[in-house]
Amino acid sequence: RGRIDEFDLNNEMLHGNFYRGRLGPGIVKEMAAWCRRGNPNAVLYVNDYGILNDNKLPEYVAQIKDLIQQGVPIGGIGIQAHLEGPLDIPKIKNALDTLAQFGLPLKITEVSVMVASEAEQAQILQQFYEIAFAHPAVQEILLWGFWQGAHWRPTAALYREDFSPK
């Protein structure tokens, strides 16, 4: 309380059901209640991948609707953006528009671009940032690592191992 006011309620629920599989479908609502008791002002986010560049958008929308119907106090929607090729701009815009229907802030929580060349990486990053920053529901964009020496995908970093910029 007073130190961390926004966090993922249960990250990547579309891709794993560790808690729900062991403790039942109501565990997410219970987790939210525990969070509220610990910090009544915390904003709880859902967060997942495959939303912008794969085909998980319909599942994500259904999951968010289900959580809201259960009374889970979702305060924002996180969208991971681990990009691996040319952008499908209409698909990305459609995903953002679709998620905006909930009237909740959208945050691009994990941006990384893993492509063959630095020039292509720069182009994709620029295009993606233009699309995301232009959307009225997107409040933040978080780069998922910047230095090659500590990046989960070293070629996706913006700075090489010697800290020279790409």
Side-chain angles (χ1 to χ4, degrees):
R1 185 182 314 216
R3 294 176 66 198
I4 300 173
D5 291 324
E6 294 183 345
F7 52 90
D8 292 348
L9 175 59
N10 185 354
N11 195 40
E12 299 175 358
M13 288 188 284
L14 287 179
H15 294 88
N17 68 351
F18 179 83
Y19 297 108
R20 288 173 290 150
R22 287 160 181 79
L23 303 170
I27 190 61
V28 177
K29 186 174 181 178
E30 287 184 59
M31 290 171 146
W34 299 332
C35 292
R36 285 283 187 235
R37 282 197 296 271
N39 184 350
N41 298 320
V43 180
L44 306 178
Y45 277 76
V46 292
N47 187 49
D48 225 308
Y49 63 94
I51 310 306
L52 299 178
N53 50 351
D54 290 331
N55 297 313
K56 294 289 187 182
L57 179 62
E59 288 177 63
Y60 202 37
V61 168
Q63 180 184 74
I64 294 165
K65 285 180 180 178
D66 181 57
L67 291 170
I68 291 170
Q69 287 173 352
Q70 290 179 44
V72 177
I74 301 300
I77 299 171
I79 309 157
Q80 297 178 28
H82 299 295
L83 309 169
E84 297 181 351
L87 299 181
D88 184 338
I89 293 171
K91 188 174 187 176
I92 292 171
K93 287 181 178 180
N94 176 65
L96 295 174
D97 289 342
T98 300
L99 293 170
Q101 72 178 298
F102 293 104
L104 298 169
L106 304 181
K107 292 191 180 182
I108 312 298
T109 58
E110 302 179 22
V111 175
S112 66
V113 178
M114 189 164 156
V115 291
S117 75
E118 291 180 8
E120 185 182 11
Q121 181 185 25
Q123 178 186 19
I124 289 170
L125 273 172
Q126 180 176 345
Q127 287 176 324
F128 183 73
Y129 279 127
E130 287 173 357
I131 294 164
F133 275 122
H135 199 282
V138 174
Q139 288 191 353
E140 289 183 24
I141 302 173
L142 303 169
L143 186 65
W144 195 246
F146 66 92
W147 177 54
Q148 193 171 17
H151 202 291
W152 74 299
R153 293 174 143 176
T155 59
L158 300 184
Y159 288 84
R160 296 180 193 89
E161 186 85 29
D162 65 2
F163 283 100
S164 62
K166 288 183 169 182

